[in-house]
Amino acid sequence: MEFSTAWDDELRSLVDELCRFETTAGDEAAAQRWLADTLEDWGFETYRWEADAEALAEHPSFPDDPAELETANRPSVGGVLEFSDPDAGKTLVLNGHVDVVPPGNGWKGDPFEPRWRDSDADETGDTLTALGATDMKSGLAACVFAARHLASLEPAFDGRLVVESVVGEEEGGIGAAAAALENPYPFSRDAAIVAEPTQCRPVIATEGSLMKRLRLEGRSAHAATRWHGESVLPPFERIRRAFDDLETERGERVTHPLYEEFPIPWPVCVGRVEAGNWASSVPDELTAELRIGVAPGETVDEVEREFEQRLSDIVAEDPFFDSNPPEFERFSIQFEPAETDADEPVVRAVQEAMETMDLTETEPRGATYGADSRHYVHAGIPTVLFGPGDIQQAHFPEESIEWDEVLTASETIAGAARAFLAD
């Protein structure tokens, strides 16, 4: 029986129900309890874990103060299916995150009320619109049904599948980092597939990111005599241009074969700027927050030193900073880059399954975003990203996914799992 015939209705129902849970940061518990119960009803053995804030504070991705990490009542769930003699075979993790970002402006309906449609306005529909539809509840559900499909075939090989639903990916990977730091299972893990939205293409390299906060101080004055003040805007603009120049230099100097397609491989984004406090006063203080791309093969520390040195060069050249030295410090979450070798068996298994499904774009790719895959890679677990949907839909109003792609991804993941475990 074809996958779509066997599982379409149940898969659709699971995604629909998952999208109805408002799983923004810290509010994942209800969805996780429901999913764990559902997995148990379907024959999975389930494991649950919560991250230890003190352990995460020792991790380079997270803030040093455990009080800044919200981990309580945020369970991650792993569902296990075993085949023949599981300890004699390999273990493959199929991973997805259940958390979503808060809904922004631009939604035409309730972000947590899934809408199904097609070109003929058929009420069952072929496109799903909901917060998390792409990022990444459809991918998570695809992992569940990939495992169920493989188990239904009664495969004659050893090993096990683990389907993970983790929390806090949008906050640096709280659930995945905990799973990588302290294995929650009584067995080792040999490889992982993370079903992020990759348009059903294999991604083996993810970019890192450095989060920095810049603070400048000047001197206020009345707008009518602004020449008596020292505005923070011109020195900030000099710093911003210097960082733009460094972004261009790094794009030419730091190369990677999987990132040649991107016009800006290691982007620098000044995502937030706040300056001044009154329209009739010279702005005497400014805070800017930046996200700086880190290439696979680099470290966050190395890139941080580059930008700190460029800032030091600007400070040395500009007399404004003689009495107004800037502050430039880390904040929030840091993402180390990660890369899995293209020759790893899990990568070849995904490619083999893609070929079986007549998916032609099997060449491994790189991504300019970070993902939970890095935690597994850094723990020595080769990991590939492969899932339905387009990352451009993520964090976007009216987030949508084509249902045929979800079915294709789930069947392909099942094929990849079979190829990996049977090898």
Side-chain angles (χ1 to χ4, degrees), residues 84-114:
S84 299
D85 183 353
D87 293 326
K90 294 181 290 187
T91 295
L92 176 65
V93 175
L94 307 179
N95 170 282
H97 66 84
V98 75
D99 58 302
V100 297
V101 298
N105 296 325
W107 283 89
K108 297 177 183 177
D110 184 343
F112 298 102
E113 185 69 31

Side-chain angles (χ1 to χ4, degrees), residues 26 28-29 49-57 62 66-76 167-168 171 173-175 178:
E28 305 99 336
W49 66 95
E50 290 188 3
D52 182 333
E54 292 188 1
L56 289 188
F62 297 95
E68 296 182 33
L69 295 165
E70 184 181 357
T71 60
N73 196 31
R74 302 184 71 180
S76 292
V167 301
E171 300 163 89
I174 289 172

Side-chain angles (χ1 to χ4, degrees), residues 27-275:
D27 291 326
E28 305 99 336
Q32 294 289 73
R33 287 193 296 269
W34 175 83
L35 181 60
D37 290 344
T38 300
L39 291 175
E40 288 173 359
D41 289 343
W42 287 337
F44 290 78
E45 180 181 5
T46 60
Y47 296 80
R48 310 181 196 202
W49 66 95
E50 290 188 3
D52 182 333
E54 292 188 1
L56 289 188
E58 299 295 323
H59 192 289
S61 282
F62 297 95
D64 295 335
D65 184 357
E68 296 182 33
L69 295 165
E70 184 181 357
T71 60
N73 196 31
R74 302 184 71 180
S76 292
V77 174
V80 179
L81 293 177
E82 297 185 336
F83 308 102
S84 299
D85 183 353
D87 293 326
K90 294 181 290 187
T91 295
L92 176 65
V93 175
L94 307 179
N95 170 282
H97 66 84
V98 75
D99 58 302
V100 297
V101 298
N105 296 325
W107 283 89
K108 297 177 183 177
D110 184 343
F112 298 102
E113 185 69 31
R115 285 170 278 146
W116 299 86
R117 60 178 173 79
D118 66 9
S119 57
D120 298 322
D122 186 305
E123 64 180 23
T124 58
D126 293 311
T127 301
L128 169 63
T129 299
L131 184 58
T134 295
D135 188 23
M136 59 172 290
K137 291 178 177 178
S138 293
L140 171 57
C143 291
V144 172
F145 278 86
R148 291 190 69 191
H149 182 61
L150 186 57
S152 74
L153 301 178
E154 299 182 359
F157 51 75
D158 300 323
R160 60 173 65 83
L161 282 176
V162 182
V163 177
E164 288 184 346
S165 175
V166 295
V167 301
E169 189 272 350
E170 302 291 356
E171 300 163 89
I174 289 172
L181 288 169
E182 187 173 345
N183 186 357
Y185 312 107
F187 46 78
S188 61
R189 298 152 295 177
D190 296 289
I193 298 172
V194 176
E196 285 280 1
T198 67
Q199 296 178 291
C200 289
R201 301 170 181 174
V203 171
I204 61 171
T206 55
E207 190 166 321
S209 60
L210 166 67
M211 304 294 283
K212 295 283 280 185
R213 181 180 285 124
L214 174 70
R215 289 193 176 96
L216 303 180
E217 290 187 1
R219 185 174 67 247
S220 186
H222 194 289
T225 57
R226 68 180 179 83
W227 53 88
H228 291 303
E230 289 185 300
S231 171
V232 290
L233 296 180
F236 169 69
E237 183 58 21
R238 288 191 284 275
I239 292 171
R240 190 195 63 78
R241 287 199 302 267
F243 285 173
D244 278 352
D245 291 343
L246 183 52
E247 174 192 72
T248 300
E249 293 169 23
R250 283 176 43 76
E252 296 171 350
R253 170 170 46 84
V254 182
T255 60
H256 191 291
L258 297 181
Y259 287 80
E260 294 174 353
E261 65 177 291
F262 297 107
I264 305 174
W266 328 121
V268 177
C269 177
V270 181
R272 178 179 174 272
V273 179
E274 183 177 345

Side-chain angles (χ1 to χ4, degrees), residues 338-396:
E339 184 172 7
T340 292
D341 194 285
D343 290 330
E344 283 288 343
V346 69
V347 179
R348 297 200 308 268
V350 169
Q351 292 173 308
E352 180 182 324
M354 290 178 67
E355 291 168 357
T356 300
M357 294 292 295
D358 294 325
L359 299 176
T360 58
E361 298 188 58
T362 61
E363 281 298 308
R365 302 164 64 88
T368 54
Y369 53 81
D372 275 346
S373 54
R374 75 190 191 283
H375 294 301
Y376 298 98
V377 171
H378 295 156
I381 302 170
T383 304
V384 58
L385 301 183
F386 179 88
D390 188 338
I391 193 63
Q392 293 187 38
Q393 284 287 325
H395 305 189
F396 196 76

